[in-house]
Amino acid sequence: MIAAFKAEYESVAVSTRIRLARNFKDYPFPGRLLSDPHASEQAGEMIQLLAAELSGMEKFDLYEMCDVSDEKAAFLRERYLISRDLIRHKKISAALITRDESISVMINEEDHVREQYFMKGYDLKRAYERVSGIDDVISESIPFAYDETLGYLTACPTNLGTGLRASVMLFLPALARRGIMKGLIPDFARLGLTARGVYGEGSGTEGDLFQISNEITLGPSEEELLSAVEQATSLLVEMELRERSRMKAEEGVPLKDRVRRAYGILCNCCRLDEREFVRLLADLKLGIALGYFGLDAEREDDRMQLLDSLAVDMRPAGINRLNGAPLDGEGQCAYRAEYVSKAIGGMELFF
């Protein structure tokens, strides 16, 4: 990343994730393991092997999905720490998650092992080095399924080769709202890249958020895949910043009015459903990025990160956890409105 653009990147790049897919050499892949009469025993062996190998790195919490409640599973999924497939495979699946939620190792999802490293902001190199360290620790004593021609063997052919998915979550309101992003998606596909919503394929683009990642894993090296995602990210950041300037100049007072209305509703409403919250939060973030609140670069970045965290906390399972007990739909809307009002009111945003 070019140093001169660091502040601008921080107003666009929400988070970075690197994921590696691996399978043990001597065990049936999860799809077959589910129907194996000895599935529980074999899954237990894999879980204990991984837990033992990672115990020397740092503190992991073990979640064996057969013992995890539906509410807890929903909470972990909202925070991107586990997937739908892991929940569906709960008979044989587990997750090892660090206390700071930066590392999640899913066991018996689509593949035996899905190693993930998450970080706020943008730094593909750092994220790759971190997850590579985890992979090295595991592979020292547990042989992975590997072919000299095909590379790492995976349950789905789209993960063959490196098994690497590098992704960056970007906040792209100007490109999205001005119809430009829609036209770029097919171009990315031709380059072996993809743009998806916050929960991956089929989830839509909530809050003007796009997850940019490599689609191809077989053929290019890990370094080449990282470079492709990095180049796409740089291009989108520069395009987004240009469009934000045009948007501010061309839409003027109506755009500022939209931001102020979003701020007013978020700070004063008594009921706030999730869809409206996501839309209004995106408007507020855009207003901060456009300089309507007069924040310096450091305070702007801090407020954007707080709002991104708030977006995750205010999902249904997150609200139930904060409340200490499940709420119905209307109860969640009321809780969200009160919580968001206090949180944003305390951020000292002034026009």
Side-chain angles (χ1 to χ4, degrees):
M1 176 172 40
I2 300 171
F5 288 104
K6 185 176 187 298
E8 288 84 353
Y9 266 74
E10 289 173 346
S11 76
V12 180
V14 176
S15 62
T16 303
R17 182 189 75 152
I18 300 288
R19 187 221 71 192
L20 295 176
R22 301 286 188 258
N23 285 283
F24 293 155
K25 182 180 178 181
D26 300 320
Y27 289 86
F29 281 15
R32 293 184 60 191
L33 183 61
L34 280 167
S35 59
D36 192 295
H38 303 291
S40 296
E41 293 87 340
Q42 293 184 82
E45 289 174 7
M46 286 185 272
I47 292 167
Q48 293 307 312
L49 278 169
L50 280 164
E53 289 304 311
L54 294 176
S55 63
M57 289 188 64
E58 53 187 285
K59 180 64 177 177
F60 283 84
D61 289 324
L62 173 62
Y63 299 89
E64 296 194 55
M65 297 310 297
C66 61
D67 298 325
V68 174
S69 67
D70 291 343
E71 189 64 37
K72 179 66 175 180
F75 175 77
L76 293 173
R77 184 171 175 265
E78 283 182 355
R79 304 183 81 80
Y80 321 119
L81 297 168
I82 65 173
S83 66
R84 282 190 295 257
D85 281 343
L86 197 79
I87 297 171
R88 282 198 290 260
H89 293 179
K90 67 188 306 179
K91 174 184 173 183
I92 60 171
S93 65
L96 288 158
I97 302 171
T98 53
R99 297 287 172 86
D100 65 359
E101 299 183 352
S102 65
I103 302 171
S104 168
V105 178
M106 293 189 289
I107 307 166
N108 289 325
E109 191 231 29
E110 184 179 60
D111 295 294
H112 288 147
V113 188
R114 289 286 178 95
E115 308 159 28
Q116 303 181 100
Y117 179 74
F118 308 87
M119 61 173 291
K120 294 179 179 179
Y122 174 62
D123 196 334
L124 280 168
K125 181 180 179 182
R126 176 184 162 194
Y128 172 70
E129 289 174 350
R130 191 72 178 88
V131 83
S132 292
I134 299 166
D135 196 54
D136 290 343
V137 168
I138 296 172
S139 63
E140 282 179 3
S141 57
I142 305 175
F144 288 136
Y146 186 84
D147 180 86
E148 291 297 330
T149 301
L150 297 175
Y152 290 101
L153 302 180
T154 54
C156 180
T158 59
N159 291 315
L160 279 171
T162 61
L164 171 73
R165 282 275 190 268
S167 63
V168 183
M169 192 73 71
L170 301 176
F171 177 55
L172 303 172
L175 292 179
R177 299 181 191 193
R178 292 164 80 85
I180 298 170
M181 193 62 198
K182 185 177 181 180
L184 292 174
I185 291 175
D187 294 333
F188 285 139
R190 285 189 285 272
L191 295 172
L193 301 170
T194 186
R196 295 173 178 162
V198 293
Y199 276 126
E201 187 173 5
S203 66
T205 53
E206 301 176 16
D208 299 321
L209 292 170
F210 292 81
Q211 179 179 278
I212 311 302
S213 63
N214 61 296
E215 186 73 13
I216 296 171
T217 61
L218 178 62
S221 67
E222 293 179 344
E223 291 73 18
E224 289 170 331
L225 293 174
L226 290 169
S227 178
V229 176
E230 187 171 51
Q231 289 177 37
T233 300
S234 296
L235 173 64
L236 286 171
V237 169
E238 291 174 14
M239 292 181 68
E240 171 67 18
L241 294 174
R242 285 199 300 269
E243 284 305 311
R244 286 182 186 178
S245 295
R246 292 192 183 112
M247 193 180 198
K248 187 175 183 180
E250 293 171 7
E251 299 186 26
V253 172
L255 178 58
K256 184 178 286 188
D257 180 69
R258 180 172 178 168
V259 171
R260 289 195 175 196
R261 286 176 184 272
Y263 178 74
I265 293 171
L266 289 169
C267 288
N268 295 283
C269 64
C270 296
R271 181 188 185 279
L272 189 59
D273 66 44
E274 188 175 7
R275 184 182 293 271
E276 183 182 23
F277 167 62
V278 170
R279 176 178 59 80
L280 294 172
L281 194 71
D283 286 341
L284 181 59
K285 287 174 60 181
L286 176 58
I288 292 173
L290 294 178
Y292 289 153
F293 293 92
L295 302 172
D296 58 35
E298 183 177 349
R299 292 178 67 216
E300 178 181 308
D301 180 49
D302 175 66
R303 299 305 185 272
M304 294 288 264
Q305 288 194 17
L306 287 171
L307 292 174
D308 289 332
S309 296
L310 188 63
V312 177
D313 291 339
M314 289 296 98
R315 292 186 179 277
I319 288 176
N320 288 342
R321 187 176 180 84
L322 287 168
N323 183 58
L327 293 168
D328 62 16
E330 282 305 306
Q332 289 196 350
C333 289
Y335 187 99
R336 184 181 292 110
E338 182 178 358
Y339 192 97
V340 167
S341 174
K342 291 179 180 177
I344 294 178
M347 290 183 189
E348 299 181 344
L349 298 175
F350 306 110
F351 290 100

